[in-house]
Amino acid sequence: MHRLKQYKGELMLTLCAVIWGTSLVPQKLGTLYLGPFSFGAARFLTGAIIFFPLSLILKRISKEERKPFLQKDLVIGGGLCGIAMFSGAYFQQLGLADTTVGKTGFITAMYIVIIPLIGLFFHRKTEMMTWVSIALAAVGLYFLCISENFSISKGDFYVFIGSLFWAIQITLVDTYSKKTDSLELVLVEFVVAGLLSLFCAFQMESPNLQSVTASIGPILYTGIMVVGVAYTFQALGQKTVSPTIAGLILSTESLFGVISGALMFQEVMSLREICGCVLMFSALMLTQIKLPVPQKLLPKAAPAASESSSTPGKQLQTPATQSVKSE
């Protein structure tokens, strides 16, 4: 039980990846009846309605210190996360209409490679292995999406644009989930994404009750399981898991996407596409490899003070040991 509690964050993110990967099937079914904005509005607002009473229950049994609702960080963070979620979901749903579930899963998982690139804008150091992974992922993306006549389908391109927004969304959730109540952040995020989708649906599409009724199954599954459950697991899980490890776990949705696509739609990849998937998944794994730092490059410990050296059992902490402890 103690070990299970220790890895609670990792378990939540794993369940999130399973739900995300398998949800691509009902999302593709939803493209047969509703436009991407209409489907997004239905799933996000359904998820918000389902999640609201659940959040009240979870907050009541939570022992965390309660913060005032709609504080500055919550409004800004929830708004930014909602915009990123709205954009990522729109492009993914738009692309699903013209590509396969399996390819969608792998292209979407590119966000784990994109996240370190976003970190450059915040002056975060990028490991050499990350650059190798980015190059490998680019080659894999070429084999998976670019045909022999050097063209890419609209669906694959839209899904890739969506993965950029998912990388932004994960980075924002990691930032603001530590500043706000995670449950409130998720709720605001859903409402913002749902209202934006609803506005765009009435402006650019023609949603009607018949289409909504025809796609009620995909709407309920994605609204309850993907929005209400999976994104909640993401917010709660990322609270205790580093963004790099979180990205690694969540990227396994690509494998579940391929499996569900093969089972439900009998999707079969060509040898070229399989090679692309292998290269891309290898790149996802390589982003987590940390090369050892040579001893001569490590900062030297400051000389111990005379009184410190005379105190039995007292040790100076070098920057190296401090970093190990902080991890």
Side-chain angles (χ1 to χ4, degrees):
M1 182 63 69
H2 175 71
R3 185 174 295 274
L4 183 62
K5 186 177 181 180
Q6 180 182 357
Y7 294 102
K8 181 175 64 175
E10 287 83 351
L11 178 60
M12 287 183 176
L13 294 177
T14 301
L15 293 175
C16 180
V18 173
I19 296 172
W20 279 358
T22 55
S23 70
L24 293 175
V25 170
Q27 281 183 235
K28 188 170 182 64
L29 292 175
T31 63
L32 302 176
Y33 307 101
L34 290 173
F37 288 127
S38 300
F39 188 81
R43 65 185 286 210
F44 287 128
L45 293 179
T46 298
I49 293 172
I50 296 296
F51 178 77
F52 179 66
L54 176 63
S55 66
L56 295 179
I57 296 174
L58 292 176
K59 283 177 68 66
R60 183 175 293 274
I61 63 177
S62 174
K63 296 182 180 179
E64 294 184 4
E65 180 182 356
R66 296 187 178 182
K67 300 177 181 179
F69 187 64
L70 292 183
Q71 56 178 309
K72 181 180 178 181
D73 286 332
L74 178 62
V75 174
I76 296 176
L80 292 176
C81 290
I83 293 172
M85 176 181 285
F86 156 77
S87 303
Y90 167 72
F91 282 106
Q92 185 185 66
Q93 193 69 14
L94 187 64
L96 261 173
D98 294 308
T99 190
T100 65
V101 169
K103 291 176 72 174
T104 298
F106 268 95
I107 298 173
T108 300
M110 282 289 290
Y111 58 69
I112 190 175
V113 180
I114 300 171
I115 288 174
L117 292 178
I118 295 177
L120 293 177
F121 293 97
F122 299 95
H123 308 288
R124 296 174 183 171
K125 184 180 178 182
T126 301
E127 303 288 340
M128 177 60 66
M129 190 60 70
T130 300
W131 293 111
V132 175
S133 302
I134 292 172
L136 191 61
V139 176
L141 189 65
Y142 170 80
F143 280 113
L144 181 63
C145 303
I146 307 298
S147 63
E148 295 180 356
N149 57 355
F150 297 99
S151 64
I152 182 173
S153 71
K154 290 190 303 181
D156 292 345
F157 176 74
Y158 290 142
V159 173
F160 178 73
I161 297 299
S163 70
L164 297 177
F165 285 105
W166 290 129
I168 295 173
Q169 189 259 353
I170 288 177
T171 304
L172 290 171
V173 168
D174 174 70
T175 299
Y176 285 98
S177 65
K178 295 177 175 61
K179 299 179 180 181
T180 64
D181 184 284
S182 299
L183 299 175
E184 293 176 357
L185 178 67
V186 171
L187 182 60
V188 174
E189 183 180 21
F190 293 162
V191 172
V192 170
L195 292 179
L196 286 174
S197 299
L198 186 64
F199 175 79
C200 292
F202 282 106
Q203 292 295 320
M204 304 179 191
E205 299 172 352
S206 301
N208 56 75
L209 184 59
Q210 183 179 0
S211 299
V212 173
T213 304
S215 57
I216 192 64
I219 289 174
L220 289 178
Y221 181 83
T222 56
I224 297 173
M225 295 302 297
V226 178
V227 178
V229 177
Y231 284 118
T232 304
F233 282 163
Q234 181 200 4
L236 295 178
Q238 281 192 236
K239 207 173 184 68
T240 58
V241 180
S242 69
T244 303
I245 299 300
L248 171 63
I249 296 174
L250 295 176
S251 70
T252 58
E253 70 168 291
S254 58
L255 298 178
F256 298 110
V258 169
I259 295 172
S260 59
L263 293 176
M264 298 300 297
F265 297 118
Q266 287 75 50
E267 294 176 353
V268 179
M269 289 188 174
S270 65
L271 180 59
R272 178 189 179 91
E273 292 172 336
I274 292 175
C275 290
C277 291
V278 171
L279 289 173
M280 291 176 68
F281 196 72
S282 299
L284 302 181
M285 298 299 104
L286 284 176
T287 57
Q288 311 310 312
I289 296 179
K290 305 296 182 183
L291 295 177
V293 180
Q295 289 293 326
K296 62 181 181 180
L297 297 181
L298 290 175
K300 295 181 180 180
S306 57
E307 60 269 24
S308 298
S309 59
S310 61
T311 304
K314 189 173 182 179
Q315 299 177 349
L316 283 175
Q317 290 186 347
T318 65
T321 59
Q322 290 177 349
S323 64
V324 170
K325 288 189 176 183
S326 65
E327 294 174 358

